[in-house]
Amino acid sequence: MAKMHVKMTVNGRDVEALAEPRTLLIHFLREELALTGPHIGCDTGHCGACTVDLDGKSVKSCTMFVAQATGTSITTIEGIAEPDGTLHALQEAFREHHGLQCGYCTPGMITRAYRLLQENPSPSESEIRYGISGNLCRCTGYQNIVKAVQAAAEQLAAAKEAAE
Ligand code: FES
Ligand code: FES
């Protein structure tokens, strides 16, 4: 099958490649770019394990072709920590509050929560539950995930206040 030229920014790095038109974004990220943080849980748009941030929106990367992502800017879980490896407040909070068990949903969950907190820096519990409702977790019962997102929101707000 003829390949297409695709070009995008991923975690701040310019990426250009040839890809088959049928290639899904999740497969491109994992197989071409070796970004295996975003997981494949269902491949049908249901679980959210493959969530990435694309031009300021949470996107389930199994639901789009890589060709559709040409010209966009993408952040995966690998791009959420600081370049020096310092974890993002959400990553710290998930660790601290036991927001994961097997960890399969965690990259998508944190990437989704990252966008949620950009859109709403101090969400209520129900706003968090609604905000992550496209991401399924079969282990935790969600309670500690919600606590972790709340803790991260408080931490980010305190850091912002201290910087002002
Ligand atoms: Fe994409 Fe489940 S793998 S939503
Ligand atoms: Fe196992 Fe969420 S921690 S699926």
Side-chain angles (χ1 to χ4, degrees):
M1 187 177 291
K3 292 193 171 181
M4 296 181 64
H5 181 239
V6 293
K7 189 175 171 185
M8 66 203 74
T9 304
V10 182
N11 298 333
R13 189 166 64 93
D14 290 337
V15 168
E16 284 189 59
L18 291 173
E20 288 186 5
R22 66 180 177 178
T23 305
L24 295 175
L25 179 57
I26 183 65
H27 294 146
F28 180 78
L29 293 171
R30 290 177 57 85
E31 289 158 27
E32 288 294 323
L33 304 186
L35 293 170
T36 53
H39 290 157
I40 302 169
C42 64
D43 233 354
T44 55
H46 287 90
C47 74
C50 63
T51 303
V52 300
D53 203 75
L54 184 145
D55 283 348
K57 288 198 173 81
S58 296
V59 166
K60 292 177 176 175
S61 59
C62 74
T63 63
M64 68 188 290
F65 297 112
V66 65
Q68 294 171 293
T70 285
T72 66
S73 178
I74 295 171
T75 303
T76 67
I77 188 67
E78 288 90 344
I80 283 181
E82 297 294 330
D84 69 0
T86 305
L87 294 181
H88 186 275
L90 275 162
Q91 293 169 310
E92 284 287 4
F94 269 65
R95 183 167 63 88
E96 186 72 20
H97 295 272
H98 308 290
L100 63 145
Q101 288 180 23
C102 80
Y104 204 84
C105 70
T106 312
M109 198 65 87
I110 289 181
T111 308
R112 170 59 199 139
Y114 172 80
R115 179 50 47 197
L116 172 65
L117 294 185
Q118 308 255 333
E119 291 165 349
N120 180 359
S122 71
S124 65
E125 181 181 337
S126 60
E127 285 170 333
I128 293 171
R129 287 184 183 277
Y130 181 72
I132 61 168
S133 59
N135 293 68
L136 303 182
C137 175
R138 59 195 290 174
C139 305
T140 65
Y142 301 95
Q143 199 61 26
N144 288 349
I145 291 176
V146 173
K147 272 191 205 155
V149 178
Q150 281 171 322
E154 284 163 20
Q155 163 76 26
L156 290 167
K160 189 172 172 219
E161 206 175 293
E164 284 171 358

